[in-house]
Amino acid sequence: MSVSEVASLLNQDNSSATIGHHGKVPVEHLDYGYIEKCTHTKYLEKILRELRSGEEGMYPHLIQFCEDHLRTLDPTSRALRKEQPIATAGSLPTEEWTEISQDLQQWQEEAKDYEMSRRPSAMFHNAGNENIPPIRSSGASVPLGQNAASKAKKDPPKRALPRDYSQWDTFDVDRECERIDGNVSKKDTPAVINSGHVNIKPGVDVTTLTEKDKLLLADREKDKGNEAFRASDYEEAVVYYSRSLSIVPAVAVYNNRAQTQIKLKHWHRALQDCQRVLEQEPLNLKALLRRATVFQHQDRLSLAAEDLRAVLHVEPHNATASDVEGDDDVATEDEEKAEEHARPVDRRQLAGGEESVVTPVERGDMGNAQKKPHGGHHGDGASADTNHGSTGHFRRGRGGSWDKHKAAGETPGKAANGTGKRGSTASEHGGGGGGSKGGGGSAGVDLDAPCGALPPPLARLKNEGNLLFKNGQFSDALGKYSQAITGCTDSGLDSPEDLCILYSNRAACYLKDGNSQECIQDCTRALELHPFSLKPLLRRAIAYDSMERYRNAYADYKTVLQVDDSVQAAHNSVNRITRLLIEQDGPQWREKLPDIPLVPLSAQQHRREEPPTAEALQARADRTASDTARRAEVRFNALKLEGNDMVKKGRFQDALGKYTECLQLKPGECTVYTNRALCYLKMERFAEAKQDCDAALRLEPTNKKAFYRRALANKGLKDYLASSADLQEVLQQDPGVQEAEKELEEVTALLRQSLDAGAGASPPTAKPRKKVPITEVRSATDSTPRPPSQEVDNTASINLQPADAYEFGQSLNAARSQGNAAACAQLLSSVDPEQLPQLLGNQLDGQALGFVVEALDDHLLARDPGRVYRLLRHLRTADRFTVAVMLLETAERRRVTQLFAHLSAVQSADFTKDDVLNLANKYII
Amino acid sequence: MSTPFEKPQIISHIQKSLNYTIFDSKWIPCSAKFVCLGNLARGTGVMQIYEVARGELRLVKEIENAKPLKCGTFGATSLQQRHIATGDFGGNLNIWDLEAGEAPLYSVKAHKEIINSLDGVGGLGVGDGAPEIATGSRDGTVKVWDPRQKDAPVANMEPGEGEAKRDCWTVAFGHAFNAQDRCVCAGYDNGDIKLFDLRNMSVRWETNIKNGVCCVEFDRKDINMNKLVATSLEGTFHVFDMRTQHPTKGFTSVSEKGQKSTIWQVRHLPQNRDVFMTTGGAGNLHLWKYDYPAQRSKEDSEGVSMGVAGTVNLLQNVTLSTQPIASLDWSPDKKGLCVCSAFDQSVRVLIVTKLNRV
């Protein structure tokens, strides 16, 4: 063992990193020291299990120690869950059990009393059920598998195998694409969020209930409210508290609702609820604390302090109150001094207080200004006017402590907002002093604040304008802005952005004064300076809107939405105007619209993947052109689909018609050609099939399907060479097409055969292909003579209607190899004797001749001696006849002699004995 | 254990042995009485009413039924009437007036086979809608009945033609927060959980928890559905957050392995929907509390809202018996009081303390 190994073994004890979690716990780990150091909860659990199992001996104290250590690390560990016997009355402290049992006893008594009192009235209540909703329309049945079916539709089974050719025949690219697109779009269905508190009835009808039942219901609604509150569903909680209050107005519920309203920042309503509680219970601590919170948020600190002091008076050690009070400490002192002054201000804020806290932070830039109710600002300004002396004094006097308190007790944003607001009123009257108090909201207050590239005097003019505007003095603001604009143009300042803002602001003033015409002019100027600027666009839209020039307004709103589609006002207005325009102009209202400019991407604040308006514009421009094309497309697709369907059903003739129509609509479609070629193939119209394939290949020179089908057509046309070339092409493109391989083998075999057939084989013609039966002969080696009936049966496999020399030769060979003379006779009786030499070609040899003779002698002679004579006469003229006769074997020669003997014995009108003798001379040498 | 008495304690108050197999026990609302339903040795059903008085149980009334009684509910009756609805082994749904005679007020052959579970809503001031009873049976169907309509169910959830019929083990009402909305959740022996929307008469959601679903219960029936607990055969239970339904993933859930044996039942505390008790096949009780996550919904990668499950914390666990505890019922009136019945042929009244502090 090397030194390092020993070292690592020693180290193992202390390093939990090297612990193997799967092996047994080493005995050394079952140790106080190790357990105390171990921080790995999973491993500790393992140690605990090991200890509890008792395999290493029982150490109750160590187990306890391990459990305690584990509990400190992970109090929820499952290893700590132990089976515990149920507690009984004895396992509780006596006084606790007494309390519980007394409580229970009391409840039992109450329940009994209640039942006794309720019983007589039970009969009476049976009738009072008319407010129950009616019975559900009955018999509705819900199949369990409803969802399962739709799920199957959503997830099509994944294909493991590549499509084979028969699938390609019915493959429709468009449909596949649609399916894939469809899958994607389905995912866009939104989640269902159950926020149904809006549908909950706000009140409960309890007219028929007894007092006790009402309490019960009220309690239950309160529980629901409490639960919703705990789950942070504050709005729902308010609904349930209100329901509870509608049954029984209880102090606790009002109190809870106040707390919920505080969470929702509905200060005014929270205050109302607190007041109601305090009317009934003037010293309700919770209500006092909550009212203090509300006052604090409403910046009525003196009242808040009063409430907190009341709480501390009742309960000197109330932690919450002293905490808040602590924050207020510094403020309180000042508060007391300033109380006299503060009161009137606070009173006034009582009315508008809620509003002022809720309104968002105001800035020098006036974007927000026009979205807000202006009456409120007017009021603020006016009230400040009348009371400016005390306000200014009060605020300035305790500015320092104020900020401190705010920072401690509230969110910084709120503090800044509040101070800024006050600062603005103060600064108006008290000069530039407000700026020093500046939080985030005071940018517009500092009149000398720099404004873009504007020189200080102009910036000051602008800021003054902003301030005046904010105070509702629109015409004064107008003047300031106009001065600033003239100053700007006179100084030859090259800052289009600033000028744009100035114009835009002046436009806002015009808008407020109702001077829409001027407003539009200013906005247009601003937009010339800075195209697609949001505010001038919006203002011009509003101005157009107010002048009832809806089309222009619509265009502007649309442009606004392109720039920033989150402007809700624009959305609303677009909807409204769309309705108006449809009423005014009818369905073609869009055509009368002015052009909506396309906003460049750089100007879009909320860039979406595809701006819908841009899309709409594009669509409108292309609509007329694409309409007909689309209609054709639709018809084309429909026809094609119909065609495909018919192919599937095997109605090739109908499918052919559909495809032909398709091609009239759209001659450049490769797939239709290949599909039509398939129809032709199925109908064995090979030449046409080949033409279609050629056309398809002209459009798409590497179309596999076209090659494959042309190969089939060529095969049908007996052009095996071309067929095999096509198939090879297919296989070259895709070596895995087994159909093509098989077909190629077959064609090659045919090709060889036709080459073997040699010159006698007729060249390929357009005639429909006939099956070439190549049957293996099993009975050839059969030595036992077979009954004639079976021989006749065998003729079935021999083609008795040969069309050409090749087939005749095939048939003859087949018959000969079977030794089937009857078939041969039949074959001979079916052919024209004059044709016989041509049919035989150069195939005639001694054996064949002997076989033919045999057939004629045994089978045909008895039936049709005239024919036998004619056959023999023509057979003599066949190629190689003399050679064949010379090669005849003795038995065959005898046969020939026999045939002529029989023939001469026959009396026939077709020939004389002399004729037969003459002929016999030719055969018998 | 450092602070044993800070946690809620489960105290056995009264225990009583019975001479029949008890399947279900239910408190009679606004009283200190409860009903026990079971199976007598001679093969008939029995219903007994007991009153809790001075630490003892007093038998008030006994009614015998032709078939063993499996389950009961007061959910669809008014506070004045307090009629119990029961389901028996023969598939009959009966409604009884406990103060009147021994014959049921309402009786219908609801199912071909045993009614495994039933639940009521619309009564006792729970929810605003019509009183309705849902029954789930071995015959694979879930039916909803209105006590005012005899003979025919008002809704029938059955497997379609050719679909396998699964044994429905449990049904529960929920989402009944106004007169129109209402859902029935059913659990099956193959682990399927299906949520039927009775307003739209459709399957709103379904999932499979891989093991037979022994019990499902909404945390509260008459609110906008909030949570659903489903317990399973092998000892795991799942708490689904029912507020946010993702279009494909459905409701999010947290699962907890409560015990090694089957969890027979889950019952939420009527006074606090976030506390619930599970009853185990090894005779144990687990008291749990659900804690909500900071945000109850989030957006997935495609911007679709999906729920976020909270956590489940064990408050207390005790072992009562060696036999499975088949039923548990919290008193609707007295917080912390509950009655439970086990297959050791005994009924127990338990007190759970300190539920106010959880």
Side-chain angles (χ1 to χ4, degrees), chain B residues 35-302:
Chain B
V35 180
C36 295
L37 304 170
N39 181 14
L40 284 168
R42 58 174 169 268
T44 54
V46 66
M47 172 157 57
Q48 286 185 325
I49 302 168
Y50 284 98
E51 183 168 20
V52 182
R54 295 171 208 286
E56 281 178 12
L57 289 184
R58 188 173 65 84
L59 180 63
V60 178
K61 189 169 191 174
E62 183 171 326
I63 300 172
E64 200 168 334
N65 187 41
K67 294 275 195 235
L69 293 167
K70 178 69 173 64
C71 46
T73 183
F74 284 98
T77 184
S78 72
L79 278 171
Q80 289 78 38
Q81 289 170 328
R82 299 187 295 173
H83 297 158
I84 189 171
T86 61
D88 70 16
F89 276 40
N92 299 302
L93 170 67
N94 294 329
I95 298 179
W96 312 77
D97 184 349
L98 297 174
E99 283 158 19
E102 305 218 333
L105 291 173
Y106 172 101
S107 184
V108 66
K109 172 80 177 166
H111 291 275
K112 293 190 202 82
E113 287 175 84
I114 177 176
I115 296 177
N116 283 318
S117 171
L118 83 175
D119 194 18
V121 75
L124 306 174
V126 173
D128 295 320
E132 282 176 342
I133 298 164
T135 56
S137 159
R138 183 176 291 164
D139 67 8
T141 59
V142 174
K143 292 178 184 174
V144 179
W145 306 83
D146 192 310
R148 294 168 290 173
Q149 175 176 300
K150 308 250 180 211
D151 306 328
V154 291
N156 187 2
M157 278 74 72
E158 57 187 345
E161 285 291 318
E163 272 182 81
K165 288 187 173 162
R166 306 307 314 208
D167 192 348
C168 176
W169 279 352
T170 174
V171 290
F173 270 113
H175 203 48
F177 64 92
N178 61 22
Q180 294 84 38
D181 284 286
R182 192 164 284 189
C183 283
V184 177
C185 187
Y188 297 83
D189 64 339
N190 60 345
D192 276 348
I193 296 174
K194 291 175 195 284
L195 183 67
F196 306 102
D197 190 329
L198 291 181
R199 184 179 191 160
N200 302 327
M201 284 296 169
S202 63
V203 178
R204 172 153 178 188
W205 167 70
E206 56 188 332
T207 188
N208 188 293
I209 61 168
K210 295 192 184 72
N211 265 291
V213 186
C214 297
C215 185
V216 290
E217 196 187 45
F218 284 95
D219 58 354
R220 206 175 256 288
K221 290 174 195 169
D222 56 341
I223 54 167
N224 187 3
M225 59 180 168
N226 182 54
K227 290 200 314 287
L228 174 81
V229 178
T231 72
S232 74
L233 206 55
E234 45 52 280
T236 313
F237 66 89
H238 303 258
V239 186
F240 294 91
D241 184 295
M242 305 299 277
R243 278 292 157 94
T244 314
Q245 185 176 11
H246 188 275
T248 53
K249 296 183 186 104
F251 299 107
T252 320
S253 72
V254 59
S255 62
E256 175 76 24
K257 177 97 178 160
Q259 44 223 1
K260 289 176 194 78
S261 50
T262 303
I263 304 181
W264 280 73
Q265 236 178 13
V266 56
R267 287 289 174 254
H268 287 84
L269 186 65
Q271 291 84 10
N272 183 353
R273 66 181 186 191
D274 301 325
V275 175
F276 56 94
M277 185 97 93
T278 57
T279 73
N284 40 22
L285 295 174
H286 286 68
L287 185 67
W288 305 90
K289 179 168 188 286
Y290 180 86
D291 288 315
Y292 294 98
Q295 286 291 324
R296 289 190 69 180
S297 71
K298 64 175 182 196
E299 289 194 347
D300 67 0
S301 54
E302 283 161 6

Side-chain angles (χ1 to χ4, degrees), chain A residues 788-801:
Chain A
S789 65
Q790 200 175 338
E791 282 177 345
V792 174
D793 283 349
N794 279 349
T795 57
S797 63
I798 297 166
N799 185 359
L800 297 175
Q801 304 290 330

Side-chain angles (χ1 to χ4, degrees), chain A residues 165 704-712 727 730 739-740 743:
Chain A
Y165 265 93
K704 271 191 289 183
K705 267 197 266 185
F707 273 120
Y708 181 73
R709 286 181 190 153
R710 195 168 69 177
L712 290 180
L727 288 169
V730 174
E739 287 83 358
E743 202 66 40

Side-chain angles (χ1 to χ4, degrees), chain A residues 81 83-84 86-87 92 103 115 118 133 136 140 142 147 191-192 194 196 220 224 227 233 236, chain B residues 11-12 31 80 82 124 132 148 156 204 206 220 222 224 242-243 245 256 273 316 319-320 334:
Chain A
R81 288 181 194 164
E83 295 284 296
Q84 287 168 344
I86 188 153
L92 286 178
D103 185 33
E115 277 205 72
R118 199 193 58 87
R136 194 182 294 279
V142 185
N147 258 17
V192 181
N194 294 321
R220 193 177 292 142
K224 287 197 248 177
E227 286 164 359
D233 295 329
E236 201 177 312
Chain B
I11 302 161
S12 173
S31 76
Q80 289 78 38
R82 299 187 295 173
L124 306 174
E132 282 176 342
R148 294 168 290 173
N156 187 2
R204 172 153 178 188
E206 56 188 332
R220 206 175 256 288
D222 56 341
N224 187 3
M242 305 299 277
R243 278 292 157 94
Q245 185 176 11
E256 175 76 24
R273 66 181 186 191
Q316 188 58 273
T319 307
L320 279 186
K334 183 71 192 155

